[in-house]
Amino acid sequence: MEKTPEKYPAGGVRAPAAALFVLFFCVYAWTMQGVRVGSDELGMFLVARSLTQDRDVRLDPRWASRVVLVPCAQDAACARFPVGQSLAELPLAAAAHALFKEQDSPDVFGPGMRTYLLVSLTNPLLGAAACVLMFLFCMRLDADPPWAVFLTVLFGAGTLAWPAAKTLLSEPLQMLGLLGCAYFLFAYGQQGRLRYAALAGVFCGAMLAAKFFLGVLGPVILLYFIWKLRERGEPLPRTLAALALFAAPAAAGVAVTLWYNAARFGNAFEFGYYLLNDRDALHRFSAPLWSGLHGLLFSSGKGLFWYVPCAGVAVAALPGFARRRAAEAFLCGGASLCLITAFAAWNQWHGDFAWGPRFLVPLMPFLVLPLVSLKDTWLRDRRAVRGVLLAALLALSIGIQFLGATLRTGAYLAVARSQAPYQLFHKPGDIRLRDDLLNQHFIPEFSPLAAHVWLLKHTVRNSNLPPDELRERMQRDFPWKSLVRRGMPQDPTPAAGWDMWHAYFAEHAPGARAWIAPVKSVLAGAFAASCILLFALLIRKPKNGH
């Protein structure tokens, strides 16, 4: 059923959607890491660079010091990650190659920094696109424009969608693929346009190319689509046409993955994860289900309900949402249950080194969509109280994600693992232990949440101090002091400081200072303009005929 024109803000949905895209792109671009710190994301970048420059998926073995490489065809070395993220990076990788023509270096701050920085804009673009789809989805679910914008801000800045956009890991593409698939299936259910079925298949194919394991969501997605087809009462020929148009591009994503496997290993069904003598090959899916579920949902260091406060609200809102939108409640609940259960058994269910439960990032839209029904069902007669509670939820959510999006999560985990006392089981290089970050995952005093408050304090107050003085001050109030008073870290200073590209470039590429300030000014100006435009659109009354 079509939405009535009065539901839309003046000028339709395009203007607020564009404003939201610019707003979130500016936020994500400002806080992105933009340097070659991580390993997995560097591997995906190297594949994109190799495809751009050499038309090849094989990598130079000299990168083995920075990236996990696996042996592949013709005695070469390859990355073991899916190809979807690398394909998404190709446009910016080609642009960077044409602009800079830099030689890459395995050094974090060596030659090639500008190329990596430009390609790092991929995930801010994907994340901003996901925010637009979230806004459009909320509007189609009959949210009024201010409520749709609120939920979009909660999604884009108050869930793991924000920290995920700061690196070149593939989770934003997975999330966009799943959200786009759900959105266009819902749009097909409303309007019955076959192109929506095809677009849903395109997004599903992108999701599978980014992470083939997300195929575990296939039954839920297919059942949801069939549900929407039955709601429309489509005749059999049109039902088959819609299913075929959905299946074809989704199958293309599978075909790309199988081609990539064959190009690397000569075997379309070899994914490369068990070819090395490492923790993944040894432990695989060996985590007890109860242990993985506890870790993903409730543990102090990775629990979803701690890192994404709206998750608890979504669980409470799901029954009311189901009464209004049964199919969509099934999709949100079914997809969440499938993915959480599947990853709970994986030996590295935590997805470290990352902020929060990284593997659950694709579910972030489904933790916000059930909240659409709250405005009409929750505290209807006490709007002031509801407004205060929602503002508190938004502020808390944004505060938690700010810690993960701006500070050095990976550096803290490295410091805590190697320098904190009583790491009874950890032995460097010993893969027999399935989880070598037990303190950080399960002891609250070592949780990254507590640690990042500590890091924020010293980054804001003391980051300009000489290293010896900064180390001394950080050793006075380390977060596990109440647990182990004499267990101060030897040198926690590598974890202090902003984990953002402009901070790194200003420190390690002094010549970049000349262009950092103008770029930051453009981002700040565009952010402010998008906020003003969005506010103006929302307060303007709709006109007849729009």
Side-chain angles (χ1 to χ4, degrees):
M1 181 176 176
E2 293 269 9
K3 189 184 289 289
T4 59
E6 289 75 14
K7 288 281 187 177
Y8 292 110
V13 297
R14 292 183 182 179
L20 285 167
F21 179 86
V22 173
L23 187 156
F24 281 104
F25 172 76
C26 291
V27 171
Y28 296 161
W30 185 286
T31 58
M32 71 180 183
Q33 192 175 63
V35 293
R36 296 165 295 190
V37 174
S39 172
D40 292 5
E41 56 265 49
L42 179 58
M44 298 175 196
F45 163 78
L46 291 175
V47 173
R49 186 187 64 84
S50 182
L51 287 170
T52 300
Q53 299 181 13
D54 306 323
R55 306 294 190 270
D56 198 349
V57 298
R58 293 170 296 181
L59 303 180
D60 190 330
R62 67 192 175 98
W63 288 97
S65 62
R66 295 291 319 283
V67 179
V68 176
L69 299 180
V70 294
C72 57
Q74 301 177 12
D75 297 322
C78 295
R80 64 179 178 181
F81 313 107
V83 74
Q85 178 67 21
S86 301
L87 295 178
E89 295 170 13
L90 280 181
L92 289 179
H97 179 60
L99 286 172
F100 304 129
K101 300 188 182 301
E102 293 178 305
Q103 293 296 319
D104 281 327
S105 166
D107 296 334
V108 174
F109 302 111
M113 287 179 66
R114 293 180 300 172
T115 296
Y116 192 84
L117 176 64
L118 181 57
V119 177
S120 292
L121 290 172
T122 300
N123 279 355
L125 289 168
L126 297 176
C131 291
V132 170
L133 283 178
M134 172 58 67
F135 171 72
L136 297 176
F137 210 156
C138 291
M139 292 290 291
R140 283 186 175 271
L141 287 169
D142 293 328
D144 60 35
W147 187 234
V149 169
F150 175 88
L151 293 177
T152 302
V153 173
L154 180 62
F155 162 70
T159 72
L160 297 178
W162 183 7
K166 73 180 284 88
T167 74
L168 278 177
L169 290 168
S170 65
E171 275 69 27
L173 179 58
Q174 300 170 33
M175 179 180 68
L176 178 64
L178 181 56
L179 175 58
C181 177
Y183 171 76
F184 282 107
L185 290 180
F186 181 76
Y188 180 86
Q190 282 189 320
Q191 296 172 268
R193 296 177 180 173
L194 289 175
R195 68 171 182 269
Y196 289 156
L199 286 170
V202 169
F203 278 96
C204 184
M207 177 189 74
L208 294 173
K211 198 174 194 74
F212 196 72
F213 184 71
L214 294 188
V216 297
L217 298 176
V220 175
I221 293 172
L222 184 58
L223 286 173
Y224 175 69
F225 191 18
I226 293 173
W227 192 328
K228 303 308 288 185
L229 289 169
R230 288 179 62 86
E231 281 184 350
R232 289 191 58 81
E234 300 277 27
L236 182 60
R238 190 169 180 86
T239 296
L240 294 177
L243 288 171
L245 285 171
F246 171 79
V254 176
V256 166
T257 299
L258 299 181
W259 161 82
Y260 184 56
N261 291 344
R264 291 182 296 169
F265 308 117
N267 180 356
F269 298 99
E270 174 58 69
F271 290 85
Y273 276 88
Y274 302 145
L275 295 178
L276 299 175
N277 182 28
D278 62 2
R279 189 171 279 107
D280 285 347
L282 178 62
H283 296 286
R284 304 191 181 191
F285 287 90
S286 64
L289 184 61
W290 61 267
S291 176
L293 289 174
H294 165 68
L296 284 170
L297 297 177
F298 305 112
S299 66
S300 57
K302 284 290 173 178
L304 178 69
F305 291 107
W306 297 111
Y307 281 86
V308 187
C310 70
V313 183
V315 172
L318 193 62
F321 184 57
R323 286 191 290 270
R324 292 169 175 255
R325 301 282 185 178
E328 286 64 48
F330 164 77
L331 177 63
C332 293
S336 299
L337 182 63
C338 282
L339 204 62
I340 291 170
T341 304
F343 275 119
W346 179 237
N347 75 93
Q348 298 197 55
W349 53 264
H350 44 79
D352 269 329
F353 289 176
W355 181 252
R358 173 167 65 91
F359 293 139
L360 302 188
V361 168
L363 297 179
M364 293 304 106
F366 296 158
L367 301 182
V368 175
L369 287 175
L371 275 59
V372 167
S373 62
L374 283 184
K375 192 170 184 181
D376 296 326
T377 60
W378 184 52
L379 297 175
R380 295 176 60 181
D381 300 326
R382 305 181 68 181
R383 294 186 179 182
V385 175
R386 182 178 64 188
V388 170
L389 292 176
L390 289 174
L393 173 65
L394 182 63
L396 176 63
S397 300
I398 292 177
I400 290 173
Q401 306 318 323
F402 175 82
L403 295 174
T406 61
L407 298 170
R408 301 176 180 178
T409 302
Y412 163 70
L413 291 173
V415 165
R417 181 175 64 176
S418 61
Q419 298 183 24
Y422 306 114
Q423 294 277 54
L424 297 181
F425 303 104
H426 173 61
K427 295 180 180 179
D430 189 342
I431 64 173
R432 290 174 296 176
L433 180 64
R434 190 185 73 238
D435 185 349
D436 63 348
L437 286 166
L438 291 169
N439 285 4
Q440 291 71 37
H441 292 159
F442 297 108
I443 300 179
E445 288 84 352
F446 288 95
S447 168
L449 283 168
H452 276 55
V453 175
W454 171 59
L455 295 179
L456 180 64
K457 170 188 172 182
H458 289 286
T459 296
V460 172
R461 291 184 179 180
N462 305 320
S463 60
N464 293 325
L465 295 177
D468 289 343
E469 188 174 352
L470 175 60
R471 179 173 62 252
E472 181 182 347
R473 294 197 181 191
M474 295 183 73
Q475 288 174 337
R476 294 174 187 170
D477 60 352
F478 53 95
W480 57 88
K481 187 174 182 178
S482 63
L483 184 67
V484 191
R485 295 191 62 84
R486 296 184 179 180
M488 65 182 180
Q490 291 80 30
D491 183 14
T493 57
W498 299 113
D499 190 29
M500 295 182 281
W501 62 271
H502 37 88
Y504 289 120
F505 271 76
E507 180 179 358
H508 297 282
R513 292 178 183 269
W515 56 263
I516 289 176
V519 171
K520 290 172 65 178
S521 297
V522 170
L523 290 174
F527 173 81
S530 63
C531 289
I532 294 170
L533 174 61
L534 192 60
F535 180 75
L537 289 169
L538 292 178
I539 64 173
R540 188 188 308 172
K541 293 182 179 180
K543 298 178 181 180
N544 293 332
H546 276 284

